């Protein structure tokens, strides 16, 4: 339930919240496993709990979606081992070396024959739509996984006008100031991790972990490097690593926050999950609102 990473989007038009219409739209793109000849399959799955046969879970001003992705795993070493004798045999038959295009065609044909014997690897990406803020928050640090989820939502809804919540250019500037301890978002302080990178082609990197970021040995790198990752903390709420591409990694909620519903126990699983969902949403609002305001004001 508790998100660990974030890709942040602002949805510029309100989504349809009619439960029956939503379920019908999402069910048209529900997850089904890969067939023997399919390498990748994606589709909507239950976002909150397998026992809930819903593709969109709604409570208060929050909507939760989940996309399941299944991929056949074929190790490159296995493919290459099977491919080498086929290339040799074909070259002997033709009496010449095969072209790159011919080798690729042979490889693709081989992969299709190996797919029925491949292992399947599955993963689920969850997204939270905050109707109050118009935010779509995707629990991943991967841009491609987030875009896959957005693309599937667009297919289901017909359209989904969404843009990154944080402006990358302004964020780059703010990371530089924040590392100096200047203009930090309200309620935030520096954590103990940062990564900086030189802007030239070689892009030399320096990374500090569990380090006092105000120390001279850190600050001196600001003269010739750009801040690409920076740890921030919000007292008794959240800590995370914000990256210059607008993503948030290693999102952690304070124990006092994530354990606030412990007294409820798990006798009522749905009630407990709903309570945790609303608690997490409220914490994210309190964290992202000053963060966005700080960046947008520059």
């Amino acid at each position: 339930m508790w998100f660990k990473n974030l890709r942040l989007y602002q949805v510029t038009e309100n989504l349809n919240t009619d439960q029956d219409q939503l379920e019908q739209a999402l069910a048209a793109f529900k997850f089904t496993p890969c067939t023997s000849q399919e390498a990748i399959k994606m589709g909507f799955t239950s976002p909150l709990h397998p026992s809930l046969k819903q593709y969109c879970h709604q409570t208060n001003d929050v909507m939760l979606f989940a996309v399941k992705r299944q991929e056949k795993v074929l190790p490159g070493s296995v493919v290459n081992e099977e491919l080498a004798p086929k290339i040799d045999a074909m070259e002997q038959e033709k009496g010449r070396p095969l072209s790159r295009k011919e080798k690729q065609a042979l490889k693709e044909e081989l992969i299709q024959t190996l797919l029925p014997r491949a292992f399947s690897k599955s993963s689920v990406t969850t997204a939270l739509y905050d109707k109050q803020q118009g935010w779509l928050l995707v629990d991943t640090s991967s841009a491609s996984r987030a875009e896959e989820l957005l693309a599937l939502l667009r297919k289901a809804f017909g359209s989904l006008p969404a843009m990154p919540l944080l402006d990358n250019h302004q964020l780059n500037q703010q990371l530089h100031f924040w590392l100096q301890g200047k203009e930090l978002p309200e309620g935030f302080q520096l954590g103990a991790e940062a990564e900086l990178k030189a802007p030239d082609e070689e892009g030399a990197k320096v990374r500090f972990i569990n380090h006092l970021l105000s120390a001279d040995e850190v600050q001196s790198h600001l003269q010739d490097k750009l801040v690409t990752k920076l740890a921030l903390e919000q007292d008794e709420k959240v800590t995370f690593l914000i990256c210059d591409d607008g993503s948030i990694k290693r999102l952690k909620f304070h124990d006092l926050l994530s354990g606030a519903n412990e007294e409820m126990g798990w006798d009522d699983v749905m009630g407990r999950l709903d309570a945790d969902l609303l608690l997490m949403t409220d914490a994210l609002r309190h964290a992202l609102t000053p963060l966005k305001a700080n960046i947008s004001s520059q």
Side-chain angles (χ1 to χ4, degrees), residues 285-298:
R285 286 172 182 164
H286 279 88
L288 296 177
T289 298
L291 192 71
K292 182 178 185 296
N294 181 287
I295 295 169
S296 300
S297 66
Q298 302 307 312

Side-chain angles (χ1 to χ4, degrees), residues 11-262:
V11 179
T12 55
E13 292 181 9
N14 292 331
L15 297 185
N16 179 6
T17 59
D18 182 87
Q19 188 69 41
D20 290 338
Q21 292 180 18
L22 277 172
E23 288 300 315
Q24 186 176 358
L26 298 174
F29 298 92
K30 67 181 180 181
F31 172 78
T32 56
C34 291
T35 64
S36 61
Q37 294 300 314
E38 290 177 318
I40 298 176
K41 285 290 291 290
M42 289 184 295
F44 292 104
T45 188
S46 174
L48 194 63
H49 194 273
S51 64
L52 266 183
K53 303 304 180 183
Q54 293 178 324
Y55 297 110
C56 174
H57 179 75
Q58 296 194 56
T59 180
N60 291 7
D61 288 331
V62 180
M63 296 164 64
L64 206 62
F65 308 95
V67 169
K68 185 171 183 178
R69 185 181 197 273
Q70 187 177 81
E71 182 178 4
K72 294 288 187 69
V73 179
L74 279 173
S77 58
V78 172
V79 175
N80 291 336
E81 185 176 351
E82 295 272 349
L83 183 61
K86 291 184 179 297
I87 291 176
D88 289 342
M90 186 67 73
E91 288 180 339
Q92 289 183 18
E93 180 182 332
K94 291 182 175 294
R96 61 171 177 81
L98 295 184
S99 66
R100 180 181 299 179
K101 185 176 180 180
E102 288 173 319
K103 290 180 180 179
Q104 184 61 33
L106 202 58
K107 182 177 181 179
E108 291 174 359
E109 182 182 331
L110 173 62
I111 287 175
Q112 288 301 312
T113 63
L114 293 176
L115 277 177
R117 296 185 294 169
F119 292 106
S120 295
K121 178 181 178 181
S122 298
S123 62
V124 175
T125 302
T126 307
L128 181 157
Y129 175 61
D130 184 342
K131 290 182 278 186
Q132 183 184 114
Q133 302 292 335
W135 295 341
L136 184 69
L137 311 179
V138 187
D139 184 11
T140 181
S141 61
S142 166
S144 61
R145 290 288 182 270
E147 287 301 327
E148 285 178 349
L149 184 143
L150 287 174
L152 203 56
L153 283 173
R154 289 189 181 104
K155 286 182 179 180
F157 295 156
S159 68
L160 181 65
M163 58 189 296
L165 183 66
L166 305 179
D167 182 281
N168 286 7
H169 178 67
Q170 293 173 322
L171 176 58
N172 286 333
Q173 293 178 323
Q174 288 308 100
L175 287 173
H176 191 88
F177 287 128
W178 294 347
L179 184 51
Q180 298 177 72
K182 301 177 182 178
E183 303 178 15
L184 281 162
E186 184 179 356
F188 279 89
Q189 60 189 25
L190 287 176
E193 182 174 348
E195 181 180 281
L196 300 93
K197 180 180 178 181
D200 55 34
E201 292 184 3
E202 295 181 0
K205 290 183 182 179
V206 58
R207 187 179 181 190
F208 298 93
I209 302 176
N210 295 325
H211 206 288
L212 181 64
L213 298 185
S214 60
D216 290 344
E217 61 185 296
V218 179
Q219 297 293 314
S220 63
H221 287 282
L222 287 169
Q223 298 176 15
D224 59 355
K225 293 183 178 66
L226 302 174
V227 183
T228 55
K229 296 177 183 176
L230 184 65
L232 294 178
E233 299 178 356
Q234 190 181 38
D235 289 341
E236 297 188 354
K237 286 184 171 58
V238 298
T239 64
F240 54 77
L241 194 68
I242 185 166
C243 307
D244 62 350
D245 64 354
S247 65
I248 287 176
K249 298 181 179 180
R250 300 211 295 276
L251 173 64
K252 294 181 181 179
F253 297 87
H254 195 281
D255 290 344
L256 291 175
L257 184 67
S258 60
N261 292 323
E262 284 299 323

